[in-house]
Amino acid sequence: MPRIPRAVVDEMVAHAREDLPDEACGMVHAKDGVPVAVHRVKNDAASPYRYEMNPLQMMRLESRRDSEGEKLFAIYHSHIASAARPSPTDVRMAFFPPGEVEREPAYPETMYILVSLASEPPDVRAYWIRQGGEVVEEPIEII
Amino acid sequence: MPVTVNVTSVIQKVVDGQREFAAEGATLGALIENIERAYPGFAGQIMDEQGEIRRFVNVYLNDEDVRYLGGKATPLKDGDTVSFLPALAGGM
């Protein structure tokens, strides 16, 4: 079971709240398997219903991972009024080109974390999106 | 016209896992054709069946989106950096 420090979860929730009414998105980096940092990424879609991570920020984070020896632990985004579960759009977009679910996912080794603000306290859950489009929840332990 | 090419995530798979490499082309379109010759399958990742840049692929010349420059006709010069970045997106 992946263990996620409370500070990492709190930072994702804080980001989700601050970006209301729009969805918030970002990346969690890990070092030696331990989630160490939440990197907020600008939602270029600036929408309550969609997110599109700013590509240049994503590229800089990828470069940082290489230079710092970090891994992409999770891709997170918020749902402002729906459940903490990947939507059909989230699943479609986890593949490249979008919707080609019979391919390997674009980020096969990275979990998707959903932060739902539909309930109080917010619900934070992690999932794998597998080849074929299957969504599998990965229970997390907040430490 | 040597330019620096950056690619991320899934597109790295078709260029032997590289994140950065050098390639040539007087325009963006010519650059894509030249990369395709070296790494067959590259162009199919970037462009759709109509030969247009896929909606969910972002192409930047230095820090500018080529959609707001000249698309595939965008001229390139020595020392430019061209980045091919698949979108990471989703929604409710």
Side-chain angles (χ1 to χ4, degrees):
Chain A
M1 184 184 293
R3 304 174 76 187
I4 304 182
R6 166 68 61 189
V8 166
V9 173
D10 287 350
E11 170 60 12
M12 289 188 288
V13 170
H15 183 200
R17 291 193 201 278
E18 284 171 36
D19 277 15
L20 280 171
D22 294 336
E23 289 193 3
C25 55
M27 294 180 159
V28 180
H29 286 192
K31 195 147 194 176
D32 303 320
V34 179
V36 288
V38 174
H39 296 283
R40 299 182 179 200
V41 177
K42 182 170 174 277
N43 177 3
D44 280 348
S47 159
Y49 312 113
R50 289 189 302 118
Y51 78 92
E52 190 164 338
M53 288 205 197
N54 180 275
L56 291 174
Q57 275 183 278
M58 280 173 55
M59 181 173 73
R60 289 179 194 119
L61 286 173
E62 187 171 296
S63 173
R64 180 199 161 98
R65 290 195 292 277
D66 283 357
S67 62
E68 303 289 321
E70 295 176 351
K71 297 282 184 203
L72 182 56
F73 178 82
I75 293 160
Y76 74 91
H77 76 279
S78 62
H79 282 174
I80 65 163
S82 56
R85 181 175 175 82
S87 68
T89 304
D90 293 333
V91 174
R92 225 172 58 77
M93 296 303 300
F95 297 86
F96 182 84
E100 304 233 347
V101 299
E102 295 312 322
R103 294 174 184 242
E104 185 177 55
Y107 295 90
E109 293 164 13
T110 300
M111 291 191 297
Y112 284 77
I113 292 180
L114 276 292
V115 177
S116 169
L117 299 179
S119 59
E120 197 57 53
D123 197 15
V124 179
R125 293 175 186 265
Y127 297 87
W128 296 101
I129 299 176
R130 302 282 193 208
Q131 191 166 13
E134 186 190 10
V135 175
V136 181
E137 183 169 1
E138 174 79 55
I140 55 175
E141 182 183 0
I142 298 172
I143 57 171
Chain B
M1 297 283 170
V3 302
T4 300
V5 178
N6 287 318
V7 298
T8 58
S9 82
V10 286
I11 298 176
Q12 290 174 354
K13 290 182 193 166
V14 293
V15 295
D16 294 344
Q18 300 174 94
R19 186 158 61 78
E20 183 179 305
F21 55 95
E24 300 214 353
T27 62
L28 176 63
L31 177 76
I32 294 171
E33 285 173 22
N34 285 335
I35 300 173
E36 169 69 18
R37 271 194 278 279
Y39 303 102
F42 178 80
Q45 297 264 290
I46 306 301
M47 294 187 296
D48 62 21
E49 292 71 14
Q50 284 73 45
E52 299 301 322
I53 295 170
R54 290 183 186 275
R55 174 158 183 264
F56 288 100
V57 176
N58 301 287
V59 184
Y60 285 83
L61 169 58
N62 302 317
D63 276 355
E64 282 195 77
D65 190 330
V66 299
R67 289 184 178 89
Y68 305 110
L69 299 172
K72 286 188 297 180
T74 304
L76 305 179
K77 59 182 192 313
D78 277 358
D80 277 342
T81 297
V82 178
S83 305
F84 296 95
L85 314 173
L88 180 47
M92 185 187 74

